[in-house]
Every structure is written in C-alpha cells, then in structure tokens.
Amino acid sequence: MARPKKLLNNPVDVVSELIDGLVAASGGDLQRLGDRNAVVRDRIADDKVALLIGGGSGHEPMFPGFVGSNLADGAPCGEVFAAPTPDLILDTLHAVHRGRGVLMVYGNYAGDNMNFDIAAELAEEAGIVTRTVRVWDDVAAAPLDRITDRRGIAGDFFVIKVAGGAAAELTDLDEVCRVAVKARDNTRSMGVALAAGSIPETGERTFELPEDELEIGMGAHGEPGIARRKMTDADAIAGEMVDRILVDLPFQSGDEVALLINNLGATTQMELLVVTRRVHQLLKERGIAVHRTDVGSFLTCQEMAGLSITLMRLDDELKRYLDMPARSFAYSRS
Amino acid sequence: MARPKKLLNNPVDVVSELIDGLVAASGGDLQRLGDRNAVVRDRIADDKVALLIGGGSGHEPMFPGFVGSNLADGAPCGEVFAAPTPDLILDTLHAVHRGRGVLMVYGNYAGDNMNFDIAAELAEEAGIVTRTVRVWDDVAAAPLDRITDRRGIAGDFFVIKVAGGAAAELTDLDEVCRVAVKARDNTRSMGVALAAGSIPETGERTFELPEDELEIGMGAHGEPGIARRKMTDADAIAGEMVDRILVDLPFQSGDEVALLINNLGATTQMELLVVTRRVHQLLKERGIAVHRTDVGSFLTCQEMAGLSITLMRLDDELKRYLDMPARSFAYSRS
Amino acid sequence: MRDTLTPAEARDMLAAVARHIVASVDMLTEIDQAIGDGDHGIGMRRGFAAVEEAMAGSDLQSVAKVFKDAGTAIMAKTGGAAGAVFGTLFRAGSAAFDGRDGMDAAGFAGFLAQGLDAVEKRGGAKPGQKTMIDALAPAAVAAADAAGGSLGEAVRSAAAAARQGVEATKGMIATTGKARTLGERSLGHVDPGAVSFTLILESMRDYIAA
Amino acid sequence: MRDTLTPAEARDMLAAVARHIVASVDMLTEIDQAIGDGDHGIGMRRGFAAVEEAMAGSDLQSVAKVFKDAGTAIMAKTGGAAGAVFGTLFRAGSAAFDGRDGMDAAGFAGFLAQGLDAVEKRGGAKPGQKTMIDALAPAAVAAADAAGGSLGEAVRSAAAAARQGVEATKGMIATTGKARTLGERSLGHVDPGAVSFTLILESMRDYIAA
Ligand SMILES: Nc1ncnc2c1ncn2[C@@H]1O[C@H](COP(=O)(O)OP(=O)(O)O)[C@@H](O)[C@H]1O
Ligand SMILES: Nc1ncnc2c1ncn2[C@@H]1O[C@H](COP(=O)(O)OP(=O)(O)O)[C@@H](O)[C@H]1O
Ligand SMILES: [Mg+2]
Ligand SMILES: [Mg+2]
Ligand SMILES: [Mg+2]
Ligand SMILES: [Mg+2]
C-alpha cells in the first residue's frame, strides 16, 4: 500500500508545530508552556482542583484539544504515539496546580502509566498531592476479568468531560477523583479499522490490512483487535460492536446512556452518521435511552480509516457533569 | 489506486441513512421532512425570516450539520454531489417559511443555481418571497473579473453563520440578504488536495493524482485547480495559498479577519494545526489581525485528503453576527 | 416505421429511451469522471428510472402530457445540473405538442426548439460552452430543416446532428458546469450531458424505425 | 581490553552505546511495526541522541554520576514505555556504582541487578511477558555469575545471555505494552525493547574489547 501523503514540514517538529497552531486557534484561551510541548489554560481559578490529561501525540484533538473551561487545565503532549516524559508531565503539573491537588486522567498504556507515575512521585516529593484515573474503556483489548489490561480509547473523552465538570465545581480532590472513577467504570468502547494510519517521522503505516478486510477491536495505535472480517455492510459491523459493548458492562434495558461515535481519522462523516443511525436503532430495540450523542473526531489515529463506538451509562451525577457547558478547541457546548 | 473502503450499507440509501443519523444525534433539535432527504429545525420562531441552505450531499457536515439555532432553519439534501431537486427544495422552503420570506444560501454551481431558481419561481407562484445568495468564495475557480463563475467551498460556512445570526435578529428579508451578501463579498477561500475522494454509489475516486503530487485550488468535487506541485512542505503550500487569497479581495494591513481551516475529508488534525500555525504567522507578518479561528471539517469531499483556507474580512456588523452563540450538529459556540 | 406517434406510442418510446439511459449508466459516469464530478450516469439513472415508472402510469391524454410527465419525473428525481436541464427540456419542450393529436416531424422540431430556448434561459449557457446545448442546438436545426418530412427522417437527422455535436464538444473548453475550471484540460473529452442527449435521440430514432 | 573503566572511559563507552542505538533506528522501528506501534526506533533515537549530548557535558565525578546522567537524559527525551524503562534502568542501576571508583565486573552485575529490580517495580512486568526484561533478567544472572572475573568477560557473557533472551521472546505471547492484544499473533516476533537492551550491552562489550 502506498505511503500516505501528508502536508507537514520536518516531521520531527510536528508536535511543536501543532501546539503552536492550537494555541493560535485558541485566541488566547490556551498558553504554551514556555517552549515545551504542553498546553495550559490561560486562566485557572485559584483554589481549583486541577485536571491534568495527556498522552502521546498523533491522536488529535485528544488530548490538548480538550483543555478548556469546564474541561482539563493542562496537557503535556508526548511525541507521536509516545507517552510524554516525566519531566514534561511534572512541569505541566506544576503549572496547573492551584493548591488543591491534581487529578491526572489518561489512557491505560504501559508507557503512560510509567511516565505519569514517575511524575506523580516527583510531584509528591515537591508536596503536591495527585490522584490518577487510568481510562480502560476498550472492551476488545482484554477480557473483563483483566479490565486493568485494557487500553484507553475514545472513552477518554467522557471521563475528561465529567472530570472537568466535577473539577470545576467540587473543591475536594478525592471527590473529583471519585466522580471520574465512576465515569470511567461506566464507560465501554470498541473500534473498527478499515485502513491504517502512519507515523509522520517514519512515513510508514502502522499495520497492513488486506483490501477487502476490516478489523474489529483495533486499537488507537493499530494494536490488533479481536476479529478480521471481510468487508461487509455498516449495519452488520455496528451490530457486532454494539453487542460486544452492551454485554460487557452490561448495559441493560432501562439504562440511560451517552453515545460517542468517534472518527479514527479518515472516515467520512457520512459513514459516522450511518452508524449513528444504526446504533440508535439497536439501543432503542434494547430499551436503552440515549441522553446525548456526540459524533466526530475525538481520539484519532492519524489517517486510520474506521470509527469507534463508546457508551457511558449515566446516573444523575454523571449526567450533570456531562451536560455542563464547556469550551475548548475540540469541544464547545453551551 | 485502490478503491477507498467504506463502512456503508446500500450506497443508494446513504443520504437517507445519514439524515436519520443526524436527526438521531440532534436529540430532538432537528426533524426530518417526512421521509424526504431534508432536515428542518424542530422549532422555528414565528415571524422569523427563514434561512434555507442546501446542496448536494457528500460534503458533510455541510449543509445539514449547520441547521440549528442562530444558524439555518432547514436544508434539502441532494444525492451525493448532485443538487437537490426543485420539488425537495420547494417542500423544505414551505416547511421553514414563517411569513417573512426565505433567504436561500448555497454554493454557486450550475446544478444548484438551476434547481434553486426553479424552486424559487414555484415559491413565488405560491406567494412566498425569496432572496438568493450564491457563495463564490473559491479564488482558484476563475479570475476576479468573472467572480460569478467561481465555486462555493468552505466559505459557505461563514456566510451561513452570519446570515443565521442576522436572520435570528433582523425582521426584514432584504436586510438579512444584505448582510449575507456582505459576508459573501468579503470571503475568499482556496483548497489543496493530496488525494481523491470517491462517490459511494460508484466506488470510484473522482480523480487521480500521482503519488508525489498535490493540486492547489482543487474544488470540492475534485474539479481541477490551478497548479500541480511536487509534494513539498506545509509552509510552502500555505504560503502560496495565502498569497493568492490575500491579493484577491485584497486583504490589507490593518484588516481584521475570521479564519477557517477546513478539512477536505481525510487529513489529520495534526496537518490542519500545522497549517493554522503558519497562516497565523503569515497574517501577522502582513499586519492582518485574526479575530477568530475555526479548524475542522466544515465542507468535505468524501475521503479527499487536503484542506482549504478561508478568510472573511470583518467589520463590526459581520463580527457581531459571526460571534453570536450558535448550536447545531456541526457547530456549537456559546 | 411510424410517421406519427399516438400518445401511447410516444409513451412506449419514452419508456424505451428511459431503459436505454438506465443501461448506459457506467459509460456516462466514466465520461463525467474525466471532466466533471463522476455522477452523471447515476443521476441520469435516477431520473430515467423515474421516467420509466411515470410512463407506466401516464394517462395518455396527449403527446404533450406524456412528454410533460417524463419531464416532471426527471425534474423530481435526477437532481444536479442534469435534472434541471433535462427536466426543463422535456417540460418546456412538451408545449410544442399542445393542440396536436400525435407526434409528427413538426412537433418534434418544435419540441427541440422550445426545449433549447428554455434550457438556455434556465442555465444561461450558450452553444460553444461544452454542454448538452452543443448537441441540442444542432439537433434542433436539423429537425427544423426536416420538419416538413417524415418523423423518422427528422429524428434520424437530429440524432446524427447531435452525435456530431458531441464530437465537436471535444474541441471546446468548458465554461459552465463542473468542468468549468478544467480549462484547456477539458479539451479532447466529450461533454457527458451532450452524450446523454444524443442517446435519448438515438433511442427515439430506433424506436420509430422498429 | 580494559578491566576497570574510569569515569571518563565509562562516559566514552556510553557515548559509543548512544551512537550505536541512534544508528539502529530503522531496524528497531521495523521490529516495533511488527508487534507494537512502530515508534520504538525513533523513540530510542531521541533518548540516546540526548545521551550522547549528556555524555559530552558529563562532569566525570564518578561512574555512578555518568550512568545517572545517561539515565536522566533517556528519561527526559525518549518518552513512551521505552523512556521510562531505560531511564529507570540507568538511573536506578547507577546506584550500584555508588562508592566505587571505577566500573568493574561486580559493579556491572550490580547495575543490571538493581536496574532489573527497579524496572520490574516501575512497570509491573515479570519475565515471560515479552519485554526487555526477558533480555535484562538473563543478562543480570549471567553478569552475577561472572561478577568475580573480568569486566570484559562479565559484559560479554551478559550480552550473550541477552541475545539468547531476545531469541526466547519469539516464543512468548505479549501480555504488557502495546503488543499485549496481539495474543498469539505476537509469536515468532522478537520484542523491540529486548533488542535495544541487547544492542546496549553488545556495544558496551565492543567498547571494552577495543
Ligand atoms: N448551464 C447549463 N446549461 C446546459 N447544460 C448544462 C449546464 N450546466 C451543466 N449542464 C450539463 O449537465 C451535465 C452534467 O450533469 P451532471 O453530472 O448530472 O450534473 P452535475 O454537474 O451537477 O454533477 C453537463 O455535462 C452539461 O451537459
Ligand atoms: N511494563 C514494562 N516493563 C518493561 N518493559 C516494557 C514494559 N512495557 C513495555 N516495555 C518495553 O518497551 C518496549 C516498547 O517501547 P516503545 O515502542 O518505545 O514504547 P511504546 O510501547 O510506548 O510505543 C517494548 O518492546 C518492551 O520491551
Ligand atoms: Mg509508542
Ligand atoms: Mg454532480
Ligand atoms: Mg456530474
Ligand atoms: Mg512503540
């Protein structure tokens, strides 16, 4: 398969350049952390519990696109598909800390876990209290009894949205953490990939998929999923994905959920909407009410073609924080 | 080049299915017009000047994604890359009309012009007053002295946003039309394509581009642009595009502008942001102030890889309507 | 060979035309891929599949009604430039049969002349801009010249002129429609709408000759 | 062949290691494409290019300081799993040289043992999970066995054990890192981090032998 064509400058500088673009587009709402690859909000309320998110780059708008009001306060951005370094995390952590501790929310990957843990230990030495919520929403990544082996994918967004709302309202770090854990524990996702993305610096696709096949459960870096299928219709794939997601929590008749249809990169909005339609039909059949639906690019994998489906089961508390107005590069709601 | 892989059902039904998805995602804000391929707002204020937008499908979220509060009131959706029929336009027009006339805003294409004109004539026979604003922002499509031969591309969004604000506030159709014309006349765009999109029903890409070339000025259906270039870096391309856009209006030192960086389909947010950064640098060098920046998928061309740059020169009136809060599937701002 | 078509025959003829267009979808799409947006075939298929249905339900009141019904179906289902153009051709052109019992050479010539006039008004294009007008205009001239003779001869001569018109579009630079910005690159390619128009006439010719 | 390295020699050795890793970027990337996310080579290049720079500026106070500076550079620049793992290895392992004048076989064995311990604590992985630990653990054992002998022999024997460990990862199913969900599909492929670790030891061996 041909290498993807990209409109970039020197790929070694891509993370730095995209952060400049993000800060420019924010019109003053975001600041760059010196010349580092991290963004922080221009104004962070005194005495606020800080919310720090972050991870490898290449998944834009995740994570820096969700730094904003009632969302996260800062995000260190690693190189493409590489967790940020402890130094960068720690510096960003210092920049957002307002005396009430820092909640760190990120995807559950070995690299992120280790680097954020190191930063947390260093922060602790400096007298800053931190809490950690690792998102592991990808039901394709491991069986339920090894849930802590699962990857974090687009469900990151729901956890960030809820944690962001909680961090804006609640004054106690442990309380914010409790709400974020609840959001995480009620969130399940699964992806499907039709074609691979590539890493700018190597120019190579991260995996190969035959012309007539798709892969269900593919991870956000091209980590393998659980089944290859011959290309088939959208309704069949959506049905298989929804089945696997519903059974996992399990979601049940009478539940109320938030739905996220996430573009993994190069998929058309047409496809996203066709799947949105089908998921709504299926949930209705199962007696599950959809409180709100978000459709778009939330956690991408470069020009990977495909999408993921995320459901979060709601209670009044989760609904309240999910529905709070928010404003950032990638997500604004009144 | 291999055919793009798509997650769809029967491609003949794709427009109908995507509208179902859009309506489902709207959570009640949008209604489908019976079983027709058109969306209208759930509630349209009495006595409001109605704003009707529309065109061929395949450019999602344009147009139906911009039906919402302080935006458009309804959108007939043609088949992929085909203007809607007069019947569909007329029926949608009837559905949004509230006694104060209807402003129709759409892209300047032979098919759209003819079909909307026919509908307007039929509406007039039925006693409904209409006005038309055709968007012709694509500077690559024809020289300035034949501006009415130019295509409408992502600049549609600025005209819709401003017209939507004006239609929500002003009670006179001609006044709303005047404001929309002003928005249109101050808007200029240009695109660049790296790879082709395809039409679902044929499965074929709409053009072929050699592996190492890109095309500047490519239209939203793959209509040819003004220059092919060997793949080069993002800054060089952004520079060439900005030069051609600035000289056209012309934009001048001291101007204040809105900037839109639009994803033509499959381009990564990383690339969009790198270009956003460069455009900001170039505008700053030229003494042009950026009032606000929007980055994302506004008018796409299926899985075409590439992006477009749009600038609108602002005065106080345009700024006021552009900055009004808005809420729709594809654009929400508080 | 029929020399004046009854409304029922006109209906059968347009049904045959519709089937021919529907069967040509791939060819038309390919031509539009070269200089347009690649959808002309599927658009014409939508419109003419609707024509076939409409013909099955047409009430045979008059030739004018049959042609107008076809035009209404095209207008309602095709979309795009082609829907407006071919819908206008049939709807406006059908008026030429008003007050005539059947379809004869003079009526046919009037259909093309009035259709051409309406299409030019609708889209603002003139001959030489690489559109279906470049097949329609010479066909209208040929039909007018043959208006005093047999229907078969008039249609054959119009179809031949249209085919020549298609060939001539190869040498034209598009200045309207989606091929507009191709400029010189549109040279060497025929216009898809002109081909469709010619297929319509050729299929009429074959029906009448059979 | 040197039997105890001075701080300056340790620094030169690590600079040579750094150059070797930087030169191996394509190979490491390719291995990570097979079972990871394809970035291991470029990550290691970032980290070890920083090591080379750090070595140029290292103050030669002690071998421990030189190793710790290398670890700090890796930690600060690599990112990803590899940054934490190799940063931890060098930073925690460097403590084995505390209070020693130079780098001898016992110090080297201590470096691997303490490094291994810290890496296991940091990432929670154990031998058999197809990580760099599957090269590091046997290397640590081999170095401990050779701790009473010459540095050259200890490093040679550790490097050979690491290389065998790399081979053994082919038969393992990944249960941590980005290869985790490959399951059986990870069989037959070596672990990229294990390869990197082995390259580090082999390059130390070559420096000492030269
Ligand atoms: N202004 C016009 N007048 C007459 N015919 C036109 C005009 N614009 C376009 N056409 C015809 O329409 C054809 C294209 O039809 P089609 O591909 O179905 O529509 P679209 O251009 O909307 O994709 C062209 O080949 C041309 O013959
Ligand atoms: N928990 C862990 N313990 C030890 N080594 C690990 C662990 N997780 C991953 N690794 C090592 O890291 C290597 C991957 O490094 P790299 O590709 O740079 O990072 P990433 O996985 O973040 O892309 C793996 O080959 C493995 O050897
Ligand atoms: Mg990685
Ligand atoms: Mg079209
Ligand atoms: Mg076309
Ligand atoms: Mg990796």
Side-chain angles (χ1 to χ4, degrees):
Chain A
M1 239 178 132
R3 288 178 160 215
K5 290 157 85 173
K6 280 186 155 149
L7 207 53
L8 295 174
N9 299 307
N10 187 342
V12 170
D13 302 324
V14 68
V15 178
S16 176
E17 291 187 354
L18 80 86
I19 287 176
D20 279 342
L22 195 69
V23 168
S26 82
D29 288 352
L30 292 183
Q31 298 293 330
R32 187 176 184 135
L33 190 67
D35 61 352
R36 316 291 301 278
N37 288 342
V39 296
V40 293
R41 289 178 61 200
D42 181 44
R43 277 183 306 275
I44 304 175
D46 282 344
D47 274 1
K48 173 187 188 300
V49 172
L51 177 61
L52 188 80
I53 60 177
S57 293
H59 303 295
E60 292 70 34
M62 194 68 74
F63 288 90
F66 299 108
V67 174
S69 79
N70 289 348
L71 289 162
D73 296 300
C77 304
E79 294 297 322
V80 176
F81 296 176
T85 62
D87 313 49
L88 186 62
I89 299 168
L90 184 65
D91 290 346
T92 318
L93 202 150
H94 275 291
V96 300
H97 185 237
R98 289 293 179 275
R100 289 203 179 268
V102 181
L103 177 67
M104 307 195 299
V105 172
Y106 55 87
N108 184 44
Y109 295 90
D112 295 284
N113 297 348
M114 291 189 275
N115 284 287
F116 276 92
D117 278 353
I118 296 169
E121 289 161 20
L122 297 171
E124 195 144 325
E125 285 172 24
I128 300 180
V129 184
T130 67
R131 293 286 178 276
T132 293
V133 178
R134 295 175 181 164
V135 183
W136 43 59
D137 55 318
D138 187 351
V139 303
L144 187 57
D145 60 2
R146 292 198 285 115
I147 193 168
T148 61
D149 277 354
R150 289 180 175 175
R151 302 174 287 242
I153 53 173
D156 286 351
F157 170 69
F158 281 150
V159 183
I160 292 167
K161 179 72 182 73
V162 168
E169 284 218 334
L170 304 173
T171 51
D172 180 62
L173 176 60
D174 284 316
E175 267 295 282
V176 178
C177 185
R178 177 189 62 74
V179 174
V181 166
K182 195 205 273 186
R184 188 266 314 276
D185 289 347
N186 282 284
T187 299
R188 296 291 188 278
S189 303
M190 187 178 283
V192 56
L194 282 71
S198 68
I199 299 185
E201 216 176 320
T202 66
E204 309 263 359
R205 294 188 189 270
T206 56
F207 59 94
E208 295 292 334
L209 207 49
E211 274 312 311
D212 59 343
E213 293 186 11
L214 50 78
E215 181 148 339
I216 292 185
M218 175 83 60
H221 311 84
E223 304 95 323
I226 46 182
R228 290 226 168 161
R229 297 265 176 278
K230 288 283 167 199
M231 280 299 292
T232 175
D233 64 27
D235 285 2
I237 297 299
E240 180 168 352
M241 292 168 74
V242 166
D243 281 346
R244 289 180 186 261
I245 291 170
L246 291 184
V247 81
D248 195 85
L249 190 63
F251 294 87
Q252 286 168 321
S253 177
D255 283 350
E256 194 173 9
V257 299
L259 168 64
L260 172 63
I261 305 290
N262 173 55
N263 189 347
L264 290 177
T267 288
T268 60
Q269 293 222 0
M270 181 176 266
E271 291 162 90
L272 300 178
L273 287 168
V274 167
V275 170
T276 300
R277 158 200 144 276
R278 185 63 187 152
V279 174
H280 268 264
Q281 290 169 351
L282 292 167
L283 294 178
K284 195 168 182 193
E285 282 171 18
R286 307 281 207 293
I288 297 169
V290 181
H291 171 65
R292 62 186 288 164
T293 308
D294 287 298
V295 184
S297 295
F298 288 78
L299 188 153
T300 63
C301 180
Q302 295 295 300
E303 59 282 272
M304 188 188 285
L307 54 86
S308 62
I309 300 173
T310 300
L311 289 179
M312 175 167 67
R313 182 171 56 194
L314 299 174
D315 63 10
D316 286 345
E317 186 176 44
L318 291 177
K319 214 192 284 189
R320 169 173 164 59
Y321 294 122
L322 186 70
D323 288 345
M324 274 172 69
R327 179 189 160 98
S328 72
F329 172 76
Y331 197 77
S332 292
R333 268 288 137 186
S334 46
Chain B
M1 238 180 134
R3 286 178 162 218
K5 290 159 84 173
K6 280 187 155 150
L7 207 53
L8 294 174
N9 299 307
N10 186 342
V12 170
D13 302 324
V14 69
V15 178
S16 177
E17 292 187 354
L18 80 86
I19 287 175
D20 278 344
L22 194 70
V23 169
S26 82
D29 288 351
L30 292 184
Q31 299 292 331
R32 187 176 182 134
L33 189 68
D35 62 351
R36 317 292 301 280
N37 288 343
V39 297
V40 292
R41 290 178 59 199
D42 181 43
R43 278 184 307 277
I44 303 175
D46 282 344
D47 274 2
K48 173 186 187 302
V49 171
L51 177 62
L52 188 81
I53 59 176
S57 292
H59 303 295
E60 291 71 33
M62 194 68 73
F63 289 88
F66 300 108
V67 175
S69 80
N70 289 350
L71 289 164
D73 297 299
C77 304
E79 294 297 322
V80 176
F81 296 175
T85 62
D87 313 50
L88 185 63
I89 298 168
L90 185 65
D91 290 346
T92 318
L93 201 149
H94 276 292
V96 299
H97 185 236
R98 289 293 178 276
R100 290 203 178 266
V102 181
L103 177 67
M104 309 195 298
V105 172
Y106 54 87
N108 184 44
Y109 294 91
D112 295 284
N113 297 348
M114 290 189 276
N115 285 285
F116 276 92
D117 276 353
I118 295 170
E121 289 162 20
L122 296 171
E124 195 145 324
E125 286 171 23
I128 300 179
V129 184
T130 67
R131 293 285 178 277
T132 293
V133 177
R134 295 175 180 163
V135 183
W136 45 57
D137 55 318
D138 187 351
V139 303
L144 186 57
D145 59 3
R146 291 198 285 114
I147 193 168
T148 61
D149 278 355
R150 288 181 176 174
R151 303 175 286 243
I153 53 173
D156 286 351
F157 169 69
F158 280 150
V159 182
I160 292 167
K161 179 72 183 71
V162 167
E169 285 219 334
L170 304 173
T171 51
D172 180 62
L173 176 60
D174 283 317
E175 266 295 281
V176 178
C177 185
R178 178 188 61 74
V179 174
V181 165
K182 194 206 273 187
R184 188 266 314 275
D185 289 346
N186 282 283
T187 299
R188 296 290 188 279
S189 301
M190 187 177 285
V192 57
L194 282 70
S198 68
I199 298 185
E201 216 176 319
T202 66
E204 310 261 2
R205 293 188 191 270
T206 55
F207 60 94
E208 295 293 333
L209 205 51
E211 275 312 311
D212 60 342
E213 292 186 11
L214 51 78
E215 180 149 339
I216 293 185
M218 175 82 60
H221 310 84
E223 304 96 322
I226 45 181
R228 292 226 165 158
R229 296 264 176 278
K230 288 285 166 196
M231 281 297 292
T232 175
D233 63 27
D235 285 3
I237 298 299
E240 180 167 352
M241 292 169 74
V242 166
D243 281 346
R244 288 180 187 262
I245 290 170
L246 291 184
V247 81
D248 194 85
L249 189 65
F251 295 87
Q252 286 168 321
S253 178
D255 283 350
E256 195 174 7
V257 298
L259 168 64
L260 172 63
I261 304 290
N262 172 57
N263 189 346
L264 291 177
T267 288
T268 60
Q269 293 221 0
M270 183 176 263
E271 290 161 272
L272 301 179
L273 287 168
V274 167
V275 169
T276 300
R277 159 199 143 276
R278 185 60 187 153
V279 174
H280 268 264
Q281 290 171 348
L282 292 169
L283 294 178
K284 193 166 182 196
E285 282 171 18
R286 307 280 208 291
I288 296 169
V290 181
H291 172 64
R292 61 187 290 163
T293 308
D294 287 298
V295 183
S297 296
F298 289 78
L299 187 152
T300 64
C301 180
Q302 298 293 301
E303 61 283 269
M304 188 189 285
L307 55 87
S308 62
I309 300 172
T310 300
L311 289 178
M312 176 167 65
R313 182 173 55 194
L314 300 173
D315 63 11
D316 287 345
E317 186 177 49
L318 291 177
K319 216 193 285 190
R320 169 173 164 60
Y321 294 122
L322 185 72
D323 286 347
M324 274 172 68
R327 180 188 158 98
S328 72
F329 172 77
Y331 198 78
S332 292
R333 269 288 139 182
S334 47
Chain C
M1 156 108 54
R2 296 150 208 149
D3 219 61
T4 303
L5 301 190
T6 64
E9 288 168 333
R11 178 195 60 185
D12 292 350
M13 177 183 74
L14 292 184
V17 165
R19 285 190 295 274
H20 187 52
I21 292 289
V22 168
S24 307
V25 55
D26 290 342
M27 188 235 312
L28 295 173
T29 289
E30 222 168 273
I31 298 173
D32 198 32
Q33 272 160 3
I35 64 160
D37 56 358
D39 67 346
H40 184 64
I42 55 181
M44 293 298 282
R45 177 170 63 192
R46 278 193 306 269
F48 282 80
V51 168
E52 207 188 337
E53 252 181 66
M55 290 302 96
S58 190
D59 65 7
L60 303 185
Q61 222 177 290
S62 65
V63 171
K65 181 72 168 39
V66 167
F67 270 73
K68 194 166 184 189
D69 285 352
T72 302
I74 294 168
M75 194 76 101
K77 294 294 176 187
T78 314
V85 164
F86 286 94
T88 298
L89 168 66
F90 275 84
R91 282 175 58 85
S94 73
F97 300 115
D98 277 349
R100 289 176 194 260
D101 281 344
M103 171 174 171
D104 59 8
F108 173 70
F111 163 69
L112 293 184
Q114 296 190 27
L116 171 62
D117 192 51
V119 167
E120 288 192 348
K121 282 213 182 76
R122 174 52 65 208
K126 290 266 158 282
Q129 289 189 283
K130 201 176 181 115
T131 69
M132 57 82 75
I133 290 174
D134 296 305
L136 170 55
V141 170
D145 289 349
S150 75
L151 174 63
E153 185 45 39
V155 175
R156 186 168 37 243
S157 142
R163 182 55 69 183
Q164 279 186 5
V166 166
E167 280 307 301
T169 62
K170 283 190 190 169
M172 297 175 186
I173 295 177
T175 53
T176 184
K178 277 175 182 146
R180 195 165 56 194
T181 42
L182 266 172
E184 311 244 313
R185 281 191 269 177
S186 65
L187 287 172
H189 297 282
V190 299
D191 175 68
V195 172
S196 283
F197 173 74
T198 304
L199 292 179
I200 291 169
L201 290 196
E202 287 174 350
S203 168
M204 288 182 173
R205 177 198 66 198
D206 294 346
Y207 175 86
I208 293 163
Chain D
M1 159 107 52
R2 297 151 205 147
D3 219 60
T4 302
L5 301 190
T6 65
E9 287 169 334
R11 177 196 63 184
D12 291 349
M13 177 184 74
L14 292 184
V17 165
R19 284 189 296 273
H20 188 51
I21 292 290
V22 167
S24 307
V25 54
D26 290 341
M27 189 233 314
L28 295 173
T29 289
E30 222 167 273
I31 299 173
D32 198 32
Q33 271 159 6
I35 64 161
D37 57 358
D39 66 346
H40 185 64
I42 55 179
M44 294 298 281
R45 178 171 61 191
R46 277 193 305 270
F48 283 79
V51 168
E52 207 188 336
E53 250 181 66
M55 290 303 97
S58 190
D59 66 7
L60 304 185
Q61 225 177 286
S62 66
V63 170
K65 181 71 170 39
V66 167
F67 270 72
K68 194 165 182 190
D69 285 352
T72 302
I74 295 168
M75 193 77 101
K77 295 293 176 186
T78 314
V85 165
F86 287 94
T88 298
L89 168 66
F90 275 85
R91 282 175 57 86
S94 73
F97 300 115
D98 277 350
R100 288 177 194 261
D101 282 346
M103 171 174 172
D104 59 11
F108 174 69
F111 163 69
L112 293 184
Q114 297 191 29
L116 171 62
D117 192 53
V119 168
E120 288 192 347
K121 284 214 181 75
R122 174 53 64 209
K126 290 266 158 283
Q129 290 188 281
K130 200 176 182 113
T131 69
M132 58 80 77
I133 290 174
D134 295 304
L136 171 54
V141 170
D145 288 348
S150 77
L151 174 64
E153 184 47 39
V155 175
R156 184 168 38 245
S157 144
R163 181 55 69 184
Q164 279 187 6
V166 166
E167 280 307 301
T169 62
K170 285 190 188 168
M172 298 174 186
I173 294 178
T175 54
T176 183
K178 279 177 181 145
R180 194 165 57 194
T181 42
L182 266 173
E184 311 243 312
R185 281 190 269 177
S186 66
L187 287 172
H189 297 281
V190 298
D191 175 69
V195 172
S196 283
F197 174 73
T198 305
L199 292 179
I200 291 169
L201 289 196
E202 287 174 350
S203 166
M204 287 183 174
R205 176 198 67 198
D206 294 346
Y207 175 87
I208 294 164

